[in-house]
Amino acid sequence: ASYEAREFGVESAQAISTALERLPRRAADEAGETDDDIEREETGYYRPVDMDYYESVASEVREILHDCADTVREVSIDEAYLDVTERTAWEVADGFARHIRDRIRREVGVTVSVGVAPTMSTAKIASDFDKPDGLTVVEPGEIRGFLAPLEVDLLHGVGPVTARELREMGLETAGDVAATDPEPLVERFGERGRELYDRARGEDDRRVEPKGDPKSFSRESAFAEPVEAPDPKYELIETLAAAVADRAQREGALYRTIGVKAVTPPYDVNTRERSLSGPIDDPELVDRIARDLFTEFEFDPVRKLGVRVANLEFVAADQASLESWERSGDGFEADASSESDPDSETKPTGDEPSAGQSSLADFS
């Protein structure tokens, strides 16, 4: 859903087949010749995500954000709230935000869109206001005026269904919501109706607070086509295991559970896990157990593979090794038809906590 593709109606979380139908394509005739009326660079196509590279870039951006703010709340792999109340003043907030944006472009090579506001919800809206590479500052006293003309779809936490229901109530803009009687909103949406009313008025007393420690670390990668040969699959297992173990070490985390995921055609998700008797930090063991758990899928066609460490404990520098614990004899294995990984990175849903001056950096 690049900005170029969005002009043709491609949206995030849209089926790839639907997206391709909306993009310009070069038709081929019976002889295999392509229509040259559309240049190659104008042709729509699907480019798989290189998640390893994406994570490495996001990590570099996060380091800069943590260096520029006293408090950072990461809400997804490419989005974070910063409390910069003690770092700058409103008179120079624009320059401070520009410094962060320019530093990321210079040191990492990607653009970010930044929204600065007194509240989290307004900062979120401001960050989306002028993408890509945008910068929008909403100072105290300007929030109501900034929000009032915006379509209800743009209110933080309002999706297509809620937007449709608000319009059915005759509420087209944030200003309409702010000016209405809140009681019908509460009757229609419950407590969320009161929240919608408050947000439309720019009232949001949540503070920017760091999220709790993650419950697991995982890394996944997909093949272009289902693979049956064992060697490529074990090579990928080795790569994923090393990446997961490395992240655990960088985050200062020990783990009690090691698991693998194998997605087989059509889209069957199979997981296997083994629990240990105590928390460890041992990359070789992660690789060995991941390979062992994957054995039953050795000759099956596999679309996607994943390795995961879970039941994390965050400790200081002197971490436990395999020798520190006696591994359980049989361990524990579990099988599931689907998996919901608490470590998966998704876009925020609108319940992130803010304070005096909040800015949201959205990496694009």
Side-chain angles (χ1 to χ4, degrees):
S2 65
Y3 288 100
E4 297 84 354
R6 292 180 191 185
E7 295 179 5
F8 295 92
V10 175
E11 300 173 0
S12 178
Q14 191 174 66
I16 295 170
S17 57
T18 301
L20 288 174
E21 288 174 359
R22 298 186 178 185
L23 293 170
R25 309 293 297 278
R26 294 197 300 173
D29 59 25
E30 294 181 2
E33 299 293 331
T34 57
D35 180 2
D36 291 330
D37 290 342
I38 300 177
E39 299 295 332
R40 181 176 181 81
E41 59 269 20
E42 297 174 340
T43 304
Y45 63 96
Y46 173 61
R47 174 180 292 169
V49 175
D50 183 345
M51 203 61 199
D52 289 342
Y53 181 63
Y54 196 79
E55 166 61 31
S56 70
V57 172
S59 178
E60 293 179 38
V61 174
R62 285 196 297 268
E63 288 183 12
I64 293 175
L65 298 183
H66 281 273
D67 188 45
C68 292
D70 297 309
T71 305
V72 177
R73 178 178 175 82
E74 299 169 15
V75 293
S76 75
I77 192 173
D78 62 358
E79 201 164 5
Y81 289 93
L82 284 63
D83 184 345
V84 294
T85 306
E86 303 302 325
R87 295 292 187 104
T88 188
W90 281 110
E91 293 77 12
V92 291
D94 180 274
F96 187 84
R98 196 176 305 278
H99 162 72
I100 296 176
R101 193 180 63 166
D102 292 347
R103 181 178 169 186
I104 292 172
R105 180 191 289 111
R106 183 176 63 254
E107 297 181 19
V108 185
V110 298
T111 62
V112 301
S113 292
V114 182
V116 185
T119 67
M120 288 182 68
S121 55
T122 306
K124 166 62 178 172
I125 294 172
S127 75
D128 291 330
F129 196 69
D130 191 25
K131 285 186 173 182
D133 198 24
L135 172 55
T136 302
V137 177
V138 183
E139 296 191 15
E142 298 178 352
I143 296 182
R144 290 285 294 274
F146 170 74
L147 295 175
L150 300 182
E151 297 288 326
V152 289
D153 313 65
L154 299 180
L155 279 174
H156 189 24
V158 173
V161 175
T162 302
R164 184 172 63 249
E165 293 181 348
L166 287 171
R167 289 194 172 95
E168 290 173 355
M169 299 173 67
L171 306 175
E172 299 285 342
T173 67
D176 294 338
V177 177
T180 194
D181 180 353
E183 291 309 313
L185 290 173
V186 174
E187 291 176 7
R188 186 82 171 251
F189 303 104
E191 283 304 308
R192 188 159 169 269
R194 169 62 68 173
E195 181 180 278
L196 289 173
Y197 176 75
D198 290 340
R199 298 284 173 82
R201 297 167 61 86
E203 298 172 3
D204 180 4
D205 60 1
R206 296 172 302 160
R207 300 185 61 84
V208 176
E209 297 176 345
K211 294 177 71 174
D213 291 333
K215 305 299 183 184
S216 67
F217 295 132
S218 62
R219 185 63 59 87
E220 300 179 3
S221 185
F223 294 108
E225 299 290 341
V227 172
E228 293 188 16
D231 288 349
K233 291 182 286 191
Y234 279 113
E235 288 174 3
L236 184 54
I237 287 286
E238 180 181 2
T239 300
L240 297 174
V244 169
D246 177 67
R247 183 178 179 189
Q249 286 186 332
R250 287 188 284 109
E251 300 285 350
L254 307 179
Y255 35 88
R256 292 174 177 266
T257 302
I258 299 169
V260 298
K261 175 195 286 187
V263 181
T264 56
Y267 293 100
D268 296 327
V269 180
N270 305 277
T271 60
R272 300 290 184 271
E273 292 185 344
R274 181 172 299 165
S275 293
L276 311 176
S277 59
I280 64 163
D281 166 22
D282 194 312
E284 291 184 5
L285 184 63
V286 175
D287 180 66
R288 189 159 65 248
I289 289 181
R291 286 171 173 271
D292 185 44
L293 293 173
F294 181 71
T295 302
E296 67 177 281
F297 306 103
E298 189 172 39
F299 297 103
D300 293 342
V302 172
R303 289 180 175 273
K304 186 177 185 179
L305 286 172
V307 176
R308 176 174 180 257
V309 294
N311 292 329
L312 305 180
E313 293 185 16
F314 291 82
V315 297
D318 78 332
Q319 299 175 336
S321 64
L322 176 61
E323 290 74 24
S324 304
W325 296 90
E326 179 179 316
R327 185 152 64 95
S328 58
D330 297 327
F332 170 76
E333 296 187 12
D335 187 14
S337 59
S338 64
E339 180 186 33
S340 177
D341 187 349
D343 185 48
S344 63
E345 280 119 343
T346 61
K347 290 293 183 183
T349 56
D351 23 347
E352 301 83 19
S354 170
Q357 185 167 312
S358 173
S359 66
L360 182 130
D362 189 0
F363 326 150
S364 55

